[in-house]
Amino acid sequence: MNTKVTKAYQLVACAVLGASAIGCPSHARPICANQTLPELPDVSIASVAEVPAPAPHCKVSGVIGGKINFELLLPENWNGKFVMGGGGGFVGSVMNTSLIDGSLQLGYATVGTDTGHQGHPADASWALNDLEALVNFGHLAVHRTAVTAKALTKAFYEKPIARSYFTGCSRGGGQAIMSAMRYPEDFDAVAAGAYAVDWTGIAVQATQINQAMYPDPNNIEEAVIGPEAQALVESSYLAVCDGLDGLEDGILNDPRKCGFDVASLQCEGDNSEDCLSAREVAAFKAVYDGPKNSDGDSLYYGFPFGGETAEGGWSRWLTGGMKYQDDDGSFQEGVGSGGFDEPVSPSAFFSFGNGIMQNFVYHDPNWTYENFDFGTYAQDSAAAAETLNATNPDLSAYRARGGKMLLYSGWSDNAQSGLAMVGYYEDVLAHDPSAADDIRLFMMPGVEHCFGGPGPSWVNFLVEIDKWAETGEAPDHITALWLDDSAQPAGGRPVCAYPSVAQYDGRGDPRDPASFNCDAGN
């Protein structure tokens, strides 16, 4: 080893051992230089740079296999652990949502990837007739990035990684579960929120909703259901069901317990603002009841009540309309546009339903949902499902090596149905009831997609899975917080491990977690 490289590795060791170690200068820390990183097969390092914020770190940008871009952040004050952060939507730029949890400030080496393609997270055109891109997106890019990043991390610090984690929501939640299923050695614990794991199921759901909201796919100015109808339905079911949990606060602890029938609002005579047309009722039922085939058989989950008037709810994901478009460029919490233009679309589901069908399933950019009847869909989508879906309830290989999995979802999530989260978890327990020792689900009342809504939605899931992995004690509840305008805690409530539900004591402050307990009888 030449003198220059020897000196670089000595400084790395000094950073790990501390400045008081013999021969270490007081300012010693890992230096950002290519010499400190090994050459790995099929990996190209594009740049290495020192970055001062949000905590001093070394940023390593590279490409795997010529297509999979990644960014590895190596903090000056390393805690000995590694976390990979997930992406959102169709990804398309390097994303690392662990940064929302303060992974760098907590001392984690952390990495994100674009999953092997470039584009807006609502644009799937990159997948058209490109099997390699689909496989990378489906599972391989996250695995290759994790393996590469961990090798670089160990070389940089000259020390083994104590624990490896993955945190993600939406697409990132699906990446977490897919990793545990296909590559059980990659991570010791994962947090999977609002996961997108059944892409062909989501496509059915989105397509039937699009058919109901925009019967003419060329007329996307406004949906069959507008903001006024959404507000009418929300206020109507809350009037009946809000107090079922002992609190009238605009939050349903478990919306499945609300028996309100939207058909009760159908107009008997002329349409008015206080009732719904037959077409509006049918569109609402397309959302709540879920997609069905021509025989009336269920094809995928519907959505529970919640999010009808929320900023990040129905109008963003399910209904919308070009006349209501704004220019904020937002997609979901922690997920940006990557600098790419957003596809012209009245709602996120319009983009996702068409994107999956045109580019993942049929590989036909002219495919349209108009008059589509799902008669051969199961066979048509089988190849895409094999690559993209992470619905296998058998997680025994992951659990056998001590893997832990924390699942979570908002009940008012209008991007990925909370019912789908519950369904997958119940499938896991039906396959092996002992899985509850290592896999826990937390359903968050009043919470939208990943974050936001009337319910308390802030939880540091990286801290939660680290605590579980370090202590071996599975959490029976977690505390979710409301945040004020300056992102400071403004009260909280416990979220109980499913199927338990937080019960109000009838006396205390509704924003004090001590006013609630977890009731397994609900």
Side-chain angles (χ1 to χ4, degrees):
M1 184 179 293
N2 64 43
T3 303
K4 188 174 182 180
V5 173
T6 301
K7 182 62 175 177
Y9 278 117
Q10 180 185 2
L11 292 177
V12 171
C14 288
V16 174
L17 296 174
S20 60
I22 297 175
C24 293
S26 59
H27 63 281
R29 55 183 172 83
I31 61 170
C32 287
N34 282 313
Q35 299 98 312
T36 67
L37 299 174
E39 291 186 6
L40 299 176
D42 212 20
V43 177
S44 299
I45 302 300
S47 66
V48 182
E50 293 188 29
V51 182
H57 66 278
C58 183
K59 177 180 177 181
V60 180
S61 300
V63 184
I64 305 166
K67 294 185 176 181
I68 303 168
N69 290 280
F70 70 92
E71 290 179 1
L72 172 62
L73 312 181
L74 300 162
E76 179 179 321
N77 296 312
W78 186 44
N79 67 6
K81 302 173 186 178
F82 170 88
V83 61
M84 184 168 185
F90 296 123
V91 199
S93 58
V94 174
M95 298 181 184
N96 180 351
T97 53
S98 82
L99 298 174
I100 299 174
D101 293 323
S103 54
L104 262 182
Q105 296 93 315
L106 291 170
Y108 286 88
T110 182
V111 73
T113 179
D114 66 358
T115 68
H117 64 272
Q118 294 283 300
H120 190 278
D123 180 8
S125 60
W126 51 267
L128 185 68
N129 294 315
D130 192 336
L131 180 59
E132 180 184 4
L134 274 175
V135 172
N136 278 333
F137 174 75
H139 56 87
L140 191 58
V142 168
H143 170 62
R144 295 192 70 184
T145 299
V147 171
T148 298
K150 289 197 289 184
L152 293 173
T153 298
K154 286 186 281 188
F156 186 78
Y157 294 110
E158 291 193 312
K159 186 177 181 180
I161 297 171
R163 294 193 186 278
S164 296
Y165 303 136
F166 188 103
T167 66
C169 189
S170 191
R171 175 55 186 148
Q175 290 169 333
I177 294 176
M178 181 68 87
S179 295
M181 282 175 44
R182 285 185 178 261
Y183 308 103
E185 299 290 330
D186 283 356
F187 304 107
D188 300 306
V190 302
Y195 55 67
V197 296
D198 189 340
W199 286 89
T200 54
I202 292 170
V204 174
Q205 181 188 53
T207 296
Q208 284 207 352
I209 289 174
N210 290 335
Q211 288 174 330
M213 299 299 171
Y214 296 94
D216 178 357
N218 297 308
N219 182 3
I220 57 176
E221 187 67 10
E222 59 183 319
V224 167
I225 293 174
E228 295 82 6
Q230 292 163 212
L232 173 63
V233 169
E234 182 178 80
S235 63
S236 298
Y237 73 69
L238 284 176
V240 175
C241 300
D242 191 11
L244 292 178
D245 55 15
L247 274 173
E248 294 189 6
D249 55 359
I251 300 171
L252 301 182
N253 255 9
D254 184 344
R256 296 174 301 177
K257 296 184 181 300
C258 182
F260 180 79
D261 184 358
V262 70
S264 66
L265 295 174
Q266 185 166 328
C267 302
E268 295 183 1
D270 295 336
N271 293 349
S272 76
E273 62 182 18
D274 296 323
C275 62
L276 302 173
S277 69
R279 190 168 73 154
E280 287 175 320
V281 169
F284 272 108
K285 284 188 169 292
V287 175
Y288 294 133
D289 295 348
K292 302 182 186 301
N293 62 19
S294 58
D295 295 325
D297 300 321
S298 178
L299 298 174
Y300 194 65
Y301 300 93
F303 286 92
F305 292 125
E308 289 82 3
T309 63
E311 181 181 354
W314 276 50
S315 293
R316 173 179 294 181
W317 293 98
L318 309 177
T319 55
M322 298 307 295
K323 68 179 291 184
Y324 299 112
Q325 294 286 318
D326 57 38
D327 298 319
D328 67 359
S330 62
F331 183 72
Q332 72 180 59
E333 190 72 19
V335 172
S337 66
F340 297 95
D341 291 336
E342 184 174 3
V344 176
S345 176
S347 70
F349 258 38
F350 194 89
S351 293
F352 281 105
N354 291 329
I356 296 169
M357 289 295 204
Q358 291 172 347
N359 302 291
F360 289 6
V361 176
Y362 291 106
H363 293 279
D364 176 5
N366 297 314
W367 178 91
T368 176
Y369 61 71
E370 193 171 19
N371 301 319
F372 185 75
D373 66 2
F374 299 94
T376 62
Y377 181 70
Q379 301 94 315
D380 298 342
S381 63
E386 184 68 23
T387 298
L388 298 167
N389 293 354
T391 54
N392 188 344
D394 184 0
L395 297 169
S396 55
Y398 178 66
R399 294 179 57 218
R401 58 172 300 273
K404 309 300 180 188
M405 180 180 291
L406 190 158
L407 306 174
Y408 65 96
S409 176
W411 269 125
S412 297
D413 189 337
N414 301 139
Q416 172 59 38
S417 173
L419 297 174
M421 293 285 292
V422 170
Y424 177 70
Y425 185 65
E426 290 181 341
D427 287 346
V428 169
L429 297 190
H431 177 78
D432 183 354
S434 73
D437 295 339
D438 303 309
I439 304 168
R440 294 287 169 94
L441 169 63
F442 296 87
M443 296 301 299
M444 306 177 71
V447 175
E448 297 167 12
H449 187 54
C450 298
F451 191 82
S457 64
W458 171 249
V459 178
N460 192 314
F461 288 103
L462 175 55
V463 170
E464 293 294 336
I465 59 172
D466 180 52
K467 186 192 312 179
W468 188 359
E470 290 287 353
T471 66
E473 297 178 5
D476 291 323
H477 72 276
I478 56 178
T479 298
L481 302 175
W482 283 279
L483 299 181
D484 62 21
D485 292 340
S486 58
Q488 297 303 305
R493 288 183 188 174
V495 181
C496 308
Y498 184 87
S500 295
V501 177
Q503 295 294 305
Y504 178 54
D505 66 10
R507 303 180 304 276
D509 181 351
R511 290 205 168 200
D512 182 353
S515 301
F516 296 80
N517 62 80
C518 289
D519 186 347
N522 284 268

